[in-house]
Amino acid sequence: MTSKAVTKVAIFFLYLLSLLPFWVLYLISDAVFILLFYVMRYRRKVVQQNLLNAFPEKTATERLQIERQFYGYLADLMVEAIKLITISEQQLKKHFTLNNPELLDTFFNQQKSALGALGHYGNWEMAAQILGFSTEKKKLFIYKPLENEVFDSFLKKLRSRFGSIPVSMKATLRTLVTLKNEPKLTVFVSDQTPVREETQYFTQFLNQPTAVFLGIEKMAKMTNDPVIFCDIRVLKRGYYCCTFVPLMNEPKLSSEHEITDLHVQYLEKVIREAPQYWLWSHKRWKFKPEDIHR
């Protein structure tokens, strides 16, 4: 069986699982947590090192508690992502609320668009779907394509179920130029790691120099569209809300890297308030500033 066929079979079984109610999926999540944390010990060394670097002031016991809570939440994310395959509009709106979508109207009424930043915090995949209801204008969700073309195509369909338009990072500029005269919301996942060869800027994030993409800032200065942060919070298990927080209304008046530092600092603030909901298993710090000049 080819890899494409295997992926299609896997997607079919995920579809069947997604038909299960939330309470059954969370029972599965409890079992997945035990598997990830105790049996597979999935990336635990990566998580432990990330937590140590980010929170050197915390005790080993405090970091272990965050680690355990993170793996419990990671298991929830997995089953919630599966549920998104068949979740209804009514269920989605029950589990994820938008607190102030009217903020977007203030920009659109001025014939402006909005550029949004969010991190791998809370359920960002559910956010990609709920943003489809944030406005009647176009909603673009910028993403980094997967190497597996079948699964990447599957994720694109998943994210676009309720009106969001997935756009690959490489197609961002071309898409924004094409739609330059249309008010729209464009959302970037801002805490991804650029490849070493394309890294242009490091900022301080979670107690260490961190390579960041400058895409949001570059687009904002080119268009002068206001920049907002999509502040996702976990209310309780399976329930979320998002608040749009204005960061920069006149990007062309900002100093170099000011916009980038603003959205990175805001994400750090959110993480420090409840660190278990960020993606600590991600190998975020693959290289340091001194590695760039070797």
Side-chain angles (χ1 to χ4, degrees):
M1 187 178 288
T2 66
S3 60
K4 283 188 176 182
V6 170
T7 303
K8 289 180 179 180
V9 170
I11 289 172
F12 174 72
F13 279 106
L14 290 177
Y15 173 83
L16 295 180
L17 276 175
S18 75
L19 298 174
L20 296 172
F22 270 102
W23 69 269
V24 175
L25 289 172
Y26 285 131
L27 290 177
I28 295 174
S29 173
D30 292 340
V32 170
F33 161 70
I34 295 173
L35 184 65
L36 291 174
F37 191 77
Y38 292 106
V39 181
M40 295 174 58
R41 297 181 64 83
Y42 172 72
R43 290 194 175 184
R44 284 194 61 182
K45 288 186 178 179
V46 173
V47 173
Q48 290 165 359
Q49 189 62 55
N50 284 344
L51 287 172
L52 176 61
N53 292 344
F55 304 116
E57 75 284 358
K58 293 185 182 295
T59 66
T61 301
E62 288 172 328
R63 288 194 295 270
L64 178 59
Q65 182 181 19
I66 296 171
E67 183 185 349
R68 286 177 57 89
Q69 290 173 332
F70 161 69
Y71 277 97
Y73 183 64
L74 181 62
D76 280 359
L77 272 181
M78 290 178 176
V79 299
E80 288 172 6
I82 292 171
K83 186 63 181 176
L84 291 178
I85 298 172
T86 57
I87 194 170
S88 67
E89 177 180 336
Q90 183 180 9
Q91 281 182 310
L92 181 61
K93 289 181 176 179
K94 178 182 177 182
H95 284 265
F96 204 123
T97 56
L98 291 170
N99 288 334
N100 59 338
E102 65 277 1
L103 177 67
L104 300 177
D105 292 329
T106 63
F107 302 136
F108 299 149
N109 290 338
Q110 301 171 43
Q111 292 303 303
K112 291 184 176 181
S113 293
L115 300 173
L118 60 76
H120 287 97
Y121 186 91
N123 195 325
W124 62 90
E125 288 292 348
M126 194 178 288
Q129 290 198 358
I130 198 66
L131 287 172
F133 301 108
S134 61
T135 172
E136 293 182 356
K137 307 296 185 183
K138 282 188 170 65
K139 288 79 55 176
L140 310 182
F141 193 86
I142 310 303
Y143 76 101
K144 193 174 183 179
L146 301 176
E147 292 184 6
N148 187 312
E149 293 181 2
V150 176
F151 204 71
D152 183 65
S153 176
F154 167 72
L155 279 180
K156 285 174 65 177
K157 291 179 181 178
L158 182 66
R159 290 165 176 165
S160 62
R161 284 189 65 210
F162 298 106
S164 294
I165 304 173
V167 178
S168 68
M169 294 179 71
K170 290 184 178 181
T172 303
L173 180 59
R174 181 172 68 251
T175 303
L176 291 183
V177 169
T178 301
L179 301 174
K180 64 180 180 180
N181 295 323
E182 285 190 54
K184 57 196 168 295
L185 170 65
T186 305
V187 177
F188 297 75
V189 182
S190 63
D191 57 350
Q192 299 186 82
T193 307
V195 296
R196 183 182 309 191
E197 294 75 18
E198 296 177 3
T199 298
Q200 298 176 322
Y201 180 61
F202 283 82
T203 190
Q204 198 70 7
F205 175 60
L206 291 172
N207 201 46
Q208 53 211 304
T210 305
V212 292
F213 281 105
L214 296 176
I216 298 176
E217 179 166 325
K218 288 180 178 179
M219 296 299 171
K221 288 195 171 186
M222 182 180 71
T223 62
N224 204 34
D225 290 328
V227 178
I228 61 177
F229 190 89
C230 303
D231 186 346
I232 300 170
R233 300 295 174 128
V234 183
L235 303 177
K236 60 180 181 178
R237 192 178 200 182
Y239 290 83
Y240 305 86
C241 69
C242 177
T243 303
F244 296 131
V245 180
L247 294 182
M248 179 67 65
N249 286 329
E250 295 289 341
K252 286 188 176 180
L253 300 180
S254 65
S255 58
E256 186 178 18
H257 302 143
E258 182 180 0
I259 293 172
T260 300
D261 289 339
L262 278 173
H263 69 71
V264 169
Q265 289 165 7
Y266 196 96
L267 176 60
E268 177 169 338
K269 168 182 171 292
V270 172
I271 292 170
R272 288 189 176 277
E273 290 175 7
Q276 66 269 31
Y277 301 125
W278 191 59
L279 192 61
W280 293 102
S281 56
H282 177 43
K283 295 180 180 179
R284 183 64 182 84
W285 293 276
K286 298 177 182 178
F287 48 87
K288 299 178 181 179
E290 54 266 29
D291 298 330
I292 302 298
H293 304 293
R294 289 180 181 176

